[in-house]
Amino acid sequence: MGLDIGIVGLPNVGKSTLFKAITAIPVEAANYPFCTIEPNVGVVNIPDDRLEKLAQIFQSEKIIPNVLRVVDIAGLVRGASKGEGLGNQFLENIRQVDAVMHVVRCFEDSEIIHVDQILDPLKDIETIETELILSDLFRVEKRLEKESKTAKNHPELAKKEEELKALRDHLNQGKMAKNFPFELLAEDKSLLLLTAKPMFYVVNLDEANIKGNALSAKVEEHAKKNGMEVVKISASIESELIDLEPKDQFSYLESLNLDSSGLDKILKVGFGLLQQITFFTAGKKEIHAWGLEKGAFAPNAAGKIHSDMEKGFIRAEVYSCVDLFLEKSELALKQAGKMKVVGRDYVVQDGDVMHIRFQV
């Protein structure tokens, strides 16, 4: 499976409409809070022009793109971490995702109810992030209670206890866990803190203000101060795009003076935040795109395909798909000296085509 991104936000900010648009999965998008009771999960193919080019060269029977798994969580409200609204259970739904997409409403519409009756995107952001922090704080306090008992009999665990206390104090100050300066988060994956995850804002605008407005400018300024990315989209435009053929989508975007869809922007930011690259396996049977963390080694790539391949990794034949597009065939690549045999210490590059040798 590829990337997992969870969508969060207040009720009626356009989360479900956006989810439907980017995954083409029909979900209920009604004009009242708590419309989404259970989290909707959809899988969307990640566009990559290189796949078609590879398939043409190999005359492949099948193309398997990398995918984005999107989880749409019920609209959160103030007090969600204490069970308000539909409660803390919905915060738990996003603990397993790789990144969080926070949808912020920046459009005026008297017919669409705002949960607080007043449209204030910065206040909306504060509400959601406070609930995420409080949920993490509750989790850290529970872990600290457990670790404190253990540390009494195991002095070597005292450092971990102290870092948990420091993390608790950090969260109590209203700060996100991703800004916590210790090693604890990197070492203890089981904490699954929501505010430790990469997060970006998706500003939902109406079609008339798709380039931005005074409200979105406030979000952009806030994001810049906090080192976060912003994607400006219109969920209503994205909804119209899904019913069009690819060529008609391009024409429609062009008519709006847009160079890409909201989905493309989201994928670009998501890949950047998670430092993801794409490598390929290729042959007559299929072309397959695989997501991998930037800086990972050849055996890690093998493990993305199958755990046995990582355990039994021997070597891999590797070349750049760009070189293949220039040389037109693997034979020509070999003759040009552009195919190499690599071992366990090879760092996989974006666009690599890999033939992995392993032994079970």
Side-chain angles (χ1 to χ4, degrees), residues 73-112:
I73 308 302
L76 299 173
V77 293
R78 190 175 292 104
S81 61
K82 298 179 180 179
E84 293 297 323
L86 289 177
N88 206 16
Q89 68 190 86
F90 299 106
L91 292 167
E92 298 303 312
N93 288 327
I94 53 174
R95 290 207 183 273
Q96 301 295 334
V97 301
D98 300 306
V100 176
M101 178 167 63
H102 183 171
V103 181
V104 184
R105 175 177 168 179
C106 287
F107 64 89
E108 298 276 3
D109 191 328
S110 60
E111 295 184 1
I112 299 180

Side-chain angles (χ1 to χ4, degrees), residues 124-350:
D124 293 351
I125 287 172
E126 182 183 8
T127 295
I128 294 298
E129 293 182 356
T130 296
E131 294 310 316
L132 298 181
I133 290 169
L134 289 173
S135 181
D136 282 349
L137 181 60
F138 176 77
R139 196 174 182 87
V140 169
E141 287 175 338
K142 293 292 286 185
R143 175 63 66 85
L144 183 57
E145 184 180 335
K146 178 181 177 182
E147 295 292 341
S148 296
K149 293 177 182 178
T150 307
K152 289 180 181 178
N153 299 318
H154 300 276
E156 69 275 11
L157 298 178
K159 182 182 177 182
K160 187 173 183 180
E161 182 186 7
E162 288 305 309
E163 286 202 2
L164 279 167
K165 288 179 180 178
L167 176 56
R168 177 196 60 194
D169 295 341
H170 177 89
L171 292 169
N172 259 322
Q173 294 171 26
K175 298 177 182 178
M176 291 195 173
K178 65 180 179 180
N179 300 319
F180 184 64
F182 295 91
E183 299 176 0
L184 178 66
L185 293 178
E187 294 176 355
D188 193 343
K189 302 294 184 183
S190 65
L191 274 174
L192 294 174
L193 298 181
L194 298 171
T195 63
K197 297 179 184 297
M199 181 186 293
F200 62 101
Y201 299 127
V202 173
V203 171
N204 189 13
L205 295 149
D206 54 26
E207 187 173 324
N209 296 288
I210 186 58
K211 297 290 186 178
N213 59 18
L215 293 173
S216 66
K218 290 182 180 180
V219 177
E220 290 180 89
E221 184 180 353
H222 171 81
K224 187 176 182 180
K225 288 180 181 177
N226 292 279
M228 293 176 68
E229 296 273 359
V230 175
V231 176
K232 289 184 285 188
I233 68 156
S234 168
S236 61
I237 290 175
E238 298 300 313
S239 295
E240 293 176 30
L241 281 173
I242 61 173
D243 296 323
L244 301 176
E245 295 294 326
K247 63 178 182 178
D248 295 326
Q249 289 182 358
F250 178 78
S251 297
Y252 180 52
L253 289 170
E254 199 173 42
S255 72
L256 297 170
N257 294 317
L258 299 175
D259 54 11
S260 62
S261 69
L263 173 59
D264 289 340
K265 294 174 185 175
I266 288 168
L267 293 176
K268 183 177 180 180
V269 170
F271 257 65
L273 280 177
L274 295 169
Q275 299 187 324
Q276 290 282 305
I277 64 169
T278 300
F279 75 94
F280 304 96
T281 51
K284 178 71 175 175
K285 184 179 179 182
E286 67 182 34
I287 301 294
H288 201 310
W290 305 88
L292 186 67
E293 187 175 345
K294 186 177 181 180
F297 297 98
N300 303 132
K304 285 288 181 179
I305 303 169
H306 198 286
S307 58
D308 286 345
M309 294 179 72
E310 182 172 12
K311 293 174 185 176
F313 180 87
I314 300 172
R315 64 182 183 277
E317 295 174 347
V318 180
Y319 56 83
S320 168
C321 67
V322 175
D323 289 336
L324 179 64
F325 299 153
L326 291 172
E327 301 295 342
K328 308 298 182 186
S329 72
E330 286 191 326
L331 178 59
L333 268 177
K334 288 180 181 179
Q335 293 173 343
K338 295 181 178 179
M339 182 183 292
K340 54 192 174 186
V341 177
V342 302
R344 304 183 68 86
D345 59 349
Y346 175 73
V347 178
V348 181
Q349 303 299 307
D350 184 64

